[in-house]
């Protein structure tokens, strides 16, 4: 069944207003990982709450309490719970999304201001931080609800919403909320399935439904040495330099081919058999897709199956950067006193932060001991989440397959995704129902 | 001969005014390596020029033309030339200093605002960026000239001044100026010796005269990969990550004991014989001095001679930081698209940037080739200067020894210094006269 013509016409008529609303959302720099932007995350919650109420959603802002980030105690941004309908004859669908974003600045390589939604004239793409991850998809739901509200159409399901503002920083506070509201009498009581739109198509051609996610463990390794930054002329070759030790440690974690060098981490994952490889072989994908999305000819291999398995069913380790070292332009001859390397490992079953972190920590400690340095080492886990895989033959997925065919005229590819949305697992475990990932973003959206 | 009592009394009477003047100078953030602060370097030149004129120095601001920094064309800050006296019966002394500073921010580990001169009540130290390197020493000269000017005392020498605003960024434009003005009829024609105050005592007890400096070569290694920053969930283990390659390269340059791993670099320097070692053994120094100055028990060795030779007569390699990677607080799961590692090597005779850089570049290129990465590598030299050693029995040094004894009541230690002041060599070579380094800063000044 194709999508109703009156719905499609409503979308076309309101396209500019929808884009304007997305621009308003992108303009709020709701960066959850930066304490100086915490007020913007709260502002974004209030903005979204007002828009949900305007289309008939009964909402409540939930105070999630406080947390500590980089030594500072902060109030968490509120979560938004919403509901429409309580018809026993309908299925009840819980929709999840997040309204916080990653940091972004032009120095990271953006060609336009990240917080000004810009339309690329040649491709028609809407460019701005959060336009795809995850303000755009959240506003996609808002647009659908606006249609039903304005046209007086009843929704075919009972709807529950859960939108949070800490997804990019470990979804702090949300697990407790979901567990609490999943109990009898809670906001999520009676939910039959969950739908999350916070990932991407494999390419720009074929829609996707996703039945697996990698988990994550994010670590910060700090080397402390002198009491203050030093002049390399005065102190070079007289003291143990923290940067030398940290770089040595970071170089031991992953090689240039993406292999994880921490003993036991890659080895935890069973190799794929021929039957599993044939699933990846059937997907609409080539190495040109990943190179086009990455904007450079840097794929680890041209073998499609190896590339897809690297993304979907093997762990990966990325070095993100260093806090405390010289990071500006120009030539500063400093010996930094204290430097922190940041890296994360994407996890797949049976890996969890709980079984991987001890391997990482003991390996780093033993590698550091080999350096014979008088500097000191500390390792912190900044956040993490387990991987997740579900049944893609469930009626929740079947409904999504029909809806995808109705809107795009194509059957979706079924994929596992490389990114992590730890709350997926929380919903699956707390509610005991099927969770569907229904991406609205394309493979070249450039999400981080 | 002790210093004249009337001079000492003038210093005591004017101490607060001298400190206030230093605070005014520190408050101007004249960071030569940061294009956004270029106007402050010019402002600092004008401030110093006005103060020199006020104490009777005939000056001129010299336009040094333009240069390119990080792809941007900028006007160089002017140099200041000054002169007092032209008596054929006196020696003519050229004084050099610089009024630009290194970058500084509280995030680098400063306990106080770097651009607000703060007095540490317990130690009496004046804390602020440039207070020791090199605004303090330049203002030391200004204070001496103010005494002679206000008291109507004639200087015992003819004086020439040369103050620049690009020392922390390779002294761009100054070599040409010095060469031009050293010719017959030039501003420096007739100069008999040079005195530079831009280094430090070995400790806090014994004054120092310095007869050698290490040189410097500062390099930037850039790894380019994808066209934009990527999400590590979506792209982890599918592309060659520039950070992985850069960290691998940086880990191959120096070990945790300070040994340079680039073949041929340490090997260029002759080992010290017993006679040379005895010179270092005679200096007033222990490993506690370096640990006290560094603010941590991180000395590479407790052997005083090895420590002093590490600082004075061996090369050193320091890793300063990375441009383009995630450097903020918090946990960003980014794969940076383009990252640049910054490091420098302090050079000693017979090393020069010209004979060391080719070894570094060919080594890095061969190490990068071993990685089998599809990313690309570029290496730039950001700036450099040759090392320098001079005759410490020259009359210029003998006069400085007597002056030191007169002011401090102690004979100075004779040292070589770990830092580089490339212009020292330019003066020595252009003028063909003896150059003396007369440090005013103590070993615990924390200069960078």
């Amino acid at each position: 069944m194709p999508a109703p013509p009156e719905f499609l016409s409503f979308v076309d008529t309101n396209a500019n207003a929808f884009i304007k609303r997305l621009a308003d959302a992108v303009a709020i720099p709701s960066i959850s990982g930066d304490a100086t932007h915490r007020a913007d995350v709260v502002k974004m919650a209030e903005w979204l709450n007002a828009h949900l109420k305007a289309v008939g959603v009964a909402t409540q802002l939930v105070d999630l309490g406080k947390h500590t980030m980089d030594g500072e105690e902060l109030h968490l941004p509120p979560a938004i719970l919403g509901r429409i309908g309580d018809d026993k004859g309908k299925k009840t669908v819980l929709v999840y999304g997040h309204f916080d974003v990653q940091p972004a600045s032009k120095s990271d390589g953006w060609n336009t201001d990240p917080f000004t939604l810009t339309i690329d004239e040649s491709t028609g793409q809407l460019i701005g931080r959060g336009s795809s991850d995850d303000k755009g998809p959240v506003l996609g739901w808002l647009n659908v609800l606006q249609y039903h509200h304005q046209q007086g159409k009843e929704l075919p399901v009972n709807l529950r919403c859960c939108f949070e503002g800490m997804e990019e920083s470990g979804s702090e506070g949300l697990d407790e909320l979901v567990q609490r509201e999943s109990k009898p009498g809670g906001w999520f009581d009676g939910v039959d399935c969950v739908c999350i739109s916070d990932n991407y198509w494999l390419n720009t051609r074929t829609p996707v439904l996703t039945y697996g996610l990698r988990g994550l463990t994010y670590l910060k390794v700090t080397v402390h040495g002198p009491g203050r930054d030093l002049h390399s002329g005065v102190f070079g070759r007289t003291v143990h330099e923290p940067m030398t030790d940290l770089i040595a440690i970071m170089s031991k974690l992953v090689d240039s081919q993406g292999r994880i060098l921490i003993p036991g981490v890659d080895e935890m994952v069973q190799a794929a058999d021929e039957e599993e490889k044939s699933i990846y072989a059937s997907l609409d994908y080539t190495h040109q897709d990943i190179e086009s999305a990455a904007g450079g000819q840097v794929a680890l291999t041209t073998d499609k199956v190896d590339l897809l398995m690297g993304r979907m069913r093997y762990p990966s380790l990325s070095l993100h950067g260093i806090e405390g070292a010289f990071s500006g332009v120009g030539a500063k001859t400093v010996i930094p006193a204290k430097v922190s390397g940041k890296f994360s490992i994407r996890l797949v079953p049976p890996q969890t932060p709980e079984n991987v972190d001890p391997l990482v920590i003991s390996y780093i400690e033993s590698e550091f001991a080999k350096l014979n340095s008088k500097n000191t080492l500390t390792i912190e886990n900044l956040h993490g989440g387990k991987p997740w895989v579900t049944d893609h033959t469930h009626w929740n997925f079947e409904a999504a397959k029909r809806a995808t065919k109705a809107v795009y005229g194509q059957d979706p590819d079924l994929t596992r995704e490389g990114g992590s949305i730890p709350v997926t697992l929380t919903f699956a475990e707390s509610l005991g129902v099927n969770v569907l990932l229904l991406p609205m973003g394309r493979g070249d959206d450039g999400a981080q």
Side-chain angles (χ1 to χ4, degrees), chain A:
Chain A
M1 185 179 80
E6 59 191 348
F7 173 72
L8 297 177
S9 135
F10 180 87
V11 172
D12 290 339
T13 307
N14 288 278
N16 286 339
F18 292 164
I19 291 169
K20 169 66 172 59
R21 180 155 64 191
L22 179 58
D24 292 346
V26 166
I28 301 171
S30 50
I31 304 162
S32 56
D34 181 346
T36 64
H37 281 286
R38 183 53 53 89
D40 291 313
V41 188
V42 175
K43 182 179 171 189
M44 185 64 211
E46 288 163 354
W47 182 96
L48 180 59
N49 186 46
H51 280 273
L52 287 167
K53 287 210 261 192
V55 297
V57 185
T59 67
Q60 70 171 82
L61 288 178
V62 185
D63 183 345
L64 299 177
K66 295 181 177 183
H67 75 136
T68 303
M69 192 166 72
D70 291 303
E72 191 183 351
E73 189 178 67
L74 294 169
H75 215 106
L76 287 162
I80 303 171
L81 300 181
R83 67 158 67 208
I84 298 181
D86 219 355
D87 184 337
K88 297 289 179 214
K90 294 178 182 175
K91 297 284 190 194
T92 299
V93 179
L94 170 60
V95 167
Y96 163 89
H98 67 91
F99 51 83
D100 63 320
V101 295
Q102 289 268 353
S105 69
K106 287 192 126 184
S107 65
D108 299 336
W110 284 73
N111 295 322
T112 58
D113 172 26
F115 297 102
T116 302
L117 190 73
T118 306
I119 301 180
D120 183 315
E121 296 296 341
S122 60
T123 63
Q125 278 186 305
L126 305 176
I127 297 162
R129 172 58 91 220
S131 58
S132 186
D133 180 14
D134 187 40
K135 291 175 177 179
V138 168
L139 268 60
W141 287 107
L142 194 62
N143 298 345
V144 166
L145 295 174
Q146 182 181 337
Y147 165 76
H148 288 85
H149 185 69
Q150 285 188 3
Q151 308 292 314
K153 302 270 181 192
E154 206 182 319
L155 286 170
V157 295
N158 303 314
L159 194 77
R160 302 290 177 269
C161 309
C162 178
F163 298 127
E164 66 154 324
M166 284 297 287
E167 197 273 342
E168 303 290 5
S169 300
S171 289
E172 283 205 61
L174 199 80
D175 281 9
E176 297 73 11
L177 174 74
V178 173
Q179 283 156 17
R180 193 170 67 235
E181 297 297 341
S182 299
K183 290 177 184 163
W187 195 273
F188 305 145
D189 189 12
V191 163
D192 295 301
C193 66
V194 178
C195 179
I196 297 176
S197 294
D198 190 20
N199 63 308
Y200 308 92
W201 296 6
L202 269 183
N203 50 48
T204 59
R205 300 175 300 273
T206 305
V208 150
L209 302 177
T210 302
Y211 65 98
L213 288 171
R214 290 197 288 197
L216 178 76
T217 185
Y218 197 113
L219 293 144
K220 175 179 174 179
V221 180
T222 301
V223 180
H224 316 249
R228 63 187 75 93
D229 285 2
L230 304 176
H231 188 294
S232 64
V234 181
F235 290 92
R237 208 153 187 165
T238 68
V239 296
H240 293 279
E241 301 190 12
M243 268 294 276
T244 304
D245 294 346
L246 179 66
I247 294 286
I249 294 296
M250 291 176 81
S251 75
K252 302 277 173 59
L253 301 176
V254 62
D255 75 13
S256 290
Q257 311 309 313
R259 289 180 289 253
I260 298 175
L261 304 176
I262 302 160
V265 173
D266 271 353
E267 294 80 352
M268 284 171 79
V269 182
Q270 213 176 358
D273 58 22
E274 290 310 311
E275 184 185 342
E276 186 182 351
K277 286 184 182 174
S278 73
I279 298 175
Y280 295 104
S282 73
L283 298 180
D284 175 14
Y285 199 71
T286 74
H287 74 281
Q288 279 101 348
D289 285 309
I290 202 120
E291 295 192 332
S292 159
Q297 294 183 11
V298 290
L300 286 173
T301 167
T302 55
D303 184 304
K304 161 186 165 176
V305 170
D306 282 348
L307 213 48
L308 284 167
M309 292 199 303
R311 172 171 175 165
M312 296 180 178
R313 61 100 64 216
Y314 283 115
S316 64
L317 191 153
S318 296
L319 305 171
H320 305 300
I322 297 174
E323 183 182 337
F326 174 51
S327 61
V329 295
K332 185 173 175 181
T333 56
V334 64
I335 297 173
K338 176 184 167 189
V339 286
S340 301
K342 314 270 183 83
F343 69 95
S344 65
I345 306 176
R346 300 283 166 174
L347 307 174
V348 298
Q351 297 173 324
T352 63
E354 290 69 27
N355 63 27
V356 167
D357 281 6
L359 298 176
V360 179
I361 291 167
S362 103
Y363 174 69
I364 289 178
E365 287 176 345
S366 84
E367 289 298 318
F368 182 71
K370 291 180 192 167
L371 300 179
N372 280 317
S373 172
K374 290 186 192 159
N375 294 322
T376 55
L377 176 88
T378 55
I379 309 174
E380 291 164 82
N381 181 311
L382 297 191
H383 67 85
K386 283 187 276 194
W388 162 85
V389 177
T390 195
D391 170 18
H392 55 73
T393 64
H394 188 272
W395 57 258
N396 191 22
F397 277 78
E398 294 304 321
K401 288 171 195 169
R402 285 198 300 276
T404 302
K405 178 89 176 177
V407 169
Y408 296 101
Q410 282 178 275
D411 290 317
D413 267 350
L414 285 165
T415 67
R416 287 165 65 172
E417 186 51 84
S420 67
I421 312 173
V423 74
T424 305
L425 208 79
T426 308
F427 283 118
E429 291 181 347
S430 298
L431 291 165
V433 299
N434 184 271
V435 180
L436 160 75
L437 303 189
L438 177 69
M440 298 189 198
R442 299 199 314 186
D444 63 349
D445 278 2
Q448 282 168 18

